Amino acid sequence: MAITASAKKAIRNSKRKHEVNLKHKKSVTDVRKDIEKLVAKKDLKAAVALLPKAYQAIDKSMKLGLLKKNTAARRKSRLARLVSAK
């Protein structure tokens, strides 16, 4: 357990940042799953319409340092390929 006031504050900040990071990671995962479900249902128009939202979530995660640049590019590429391949 933290003893000093600064250590207690660091724990609070860390917890707050952790929650924000989880929220952004979850948004990336959720939109990816939504696109995969739409592709499985053969609803390509809706999947294509959801791509910008996926790109936005991935780019935001990259900007915040949750994803590396090449990881973000790879995920966007795979989503685009998934939608265009069917």
Side-chain angles (χ1 to χ4, degrees):
M1 186 64 201
I3 296 172
T4 63
S6 61
K8 290 176 184 176
K9 182 178 178 183
I11 289 172
R12 288 194 306 269
N13 284 338
S14 176
K15 183 180 178 198
R16 197 174 307 124
K17 288 178 182 179
H18 178 69
E19 290 170 358
V20 170
N21 291 343
L22 287 179
K23 182 184 82 165
H24 286 289
K25 280 189 175 188
K26 185 168 174 16
S27 70
V28 171
T29 305
D30 289 346
V31 74
R32 179 185 53 85
K33 285 183 179 181
D34 290 343
I35 289 175
E36 288 175 353
K37 286 177 188 174
L38 290 171
V39 169
K41 290 181 184 177
K42 307 269 193 260
D43 189 1
L44 296 181
K45 278 191 174 182
V48 169
L50 205 55
L51 270 180
K53 188 175 178 185
Y55 287 175
Q56 181 183 14
I58 291 170
D59 288 339
K60 182 74 169 181
S61 292
M62 182 186 66
K63 180 182 172 186
L64 294 173
L66 302 175
L67 294 175
K68 291 185 177 180
K69 184 175 147 184
N70 286 346
T71 302
R74 183 182 69 242
R75 289 189 182 182
K76 291 195 298 189
S77 173
R78 286 182 180 171
L79 282 175
R81 189 175 63 196
L82 177 71
V83 171
S84 67
K86 303 290 178 175

